[in-house]
Amino acid sequence: MEHSFSHLDAQGTVTMVDVGGKTPGRRVAIAEAIVELAPATLELLQKAALPKGDVLTCAKIGGIMAAKRVDELIPLCHSLQLSFADIRFEVRDRPPRVRIEAEARSVGATGVEMEAIVAAQTAAAIIYDMCKAIQRDIVISRVRLLHKSGGKSGEFNAPELPL
């Protein structure tokens, strides 16, 4: 089975995919990232007692900002007009971690998976940045697409994994 690469033209030159002929539709993507913390760091985060301030509020705002700028970060990504972007957190004591869920939505001709993934990664990096004065061995893991809908390829739902 031969596969053609969407970002290469007939001469093998890198190119942006032309989505101009696609029918616009509602697109939704949800991604996750996990930030593993020491119990003491997580406790300070929950109390908003870290030296740099309210970690989750900063991570939420920064993740949303990142979703809006993906075309500036990822080569050949299309500029999208997002209709919605959000970051949600699930804080767990055992094991000590923050699960980030990033959602992006648009009505357009191409998907928003990269917007959701970059938003989740950026929120995780902000948590790391704001906690690193207390703990250097923070682990960011399991960045993945959880859900996408819309477009020719239809709906995708990742299998659930234990937290």
Side-chain angles (χ1 to χ4, degrees):
M1 177 184 205
E2 196 165 314
H3 180 77
S4 64
F5 294 98
S6 61
H7 286 82
L8 296 177
D9 65 16
Q11 292 74 40
T13 304
V14 174
T15 186
M16 183 181 231
V17 174
D18 183 356
V19 297
K22 289 185 171 184
T23 304
R26 179 176 161 77
R27 313 292 182 124
V28 177
I30 300 171
E32 77 172 349
I34 307 294
V35 182
E36 301 171 31
L37 299 165
T41 307
L42 185 68
E43 184 179 343
L44 291 171
L45 181 146
Q46 289 173 304
K47 292 178 178 177
L50 285 154
K52 290 189 176 185
D54 185 347
V55 174
L56 297 184
T57 297
C58 287
K60 180 179 183 91
I61 293 168
I64 292 168
M65 289 173 65
K68 298 187 320 181
R69 300 188 73 144
V70 168
D71 63 317
E72 297 174 25
L73 302 169
I74 306 292
L76 308 177
C77 265
H78 294 85
S79 298
L80 300 179
Q81 184 173 359
L82 293 177
S83 58
F84 178 80
D86 193 27
I87 305 289
R88 298 178 286 271
F89 302 101
E90 180 183 341
V91 179
R92 291 259 178 124
D93 291 327
R94 290 195 181 100
R97 57 184 47 178
V98 177
R99 179 180 170 270
I100 301 162
E101 192 174 272
E103 182 173 355
R105 299 181 204 157
S106 75
V107 176
T110 190
V112 289
E113 296 92 353
M114 294 311 302
E115 285 71 16
I117 289 170
V118 169
Q121 291 174 318
T122 302
I126 291 166
I127 292 171
Y128 179 94
D129 179 55
M130 295 186 74
C131 294
K132 72 180 186 251
I134 304 300
Q135 179 187 352
R136 294 277 180 184
D137 64 344
I138 297 165
V139 175
I140 297 170
S141 64
R142 205 166 87 187
V143 176
R144 68 185 184 131
L145 181 68
L146 295 175
H147 168 81
K148 76 130 320 274
S149 61
K152 191 168 78 171
S153 64
E155 189 165 334
F156 165 80
N157 289 295
E160 279 200 38
L161 297 174
L163 212 70

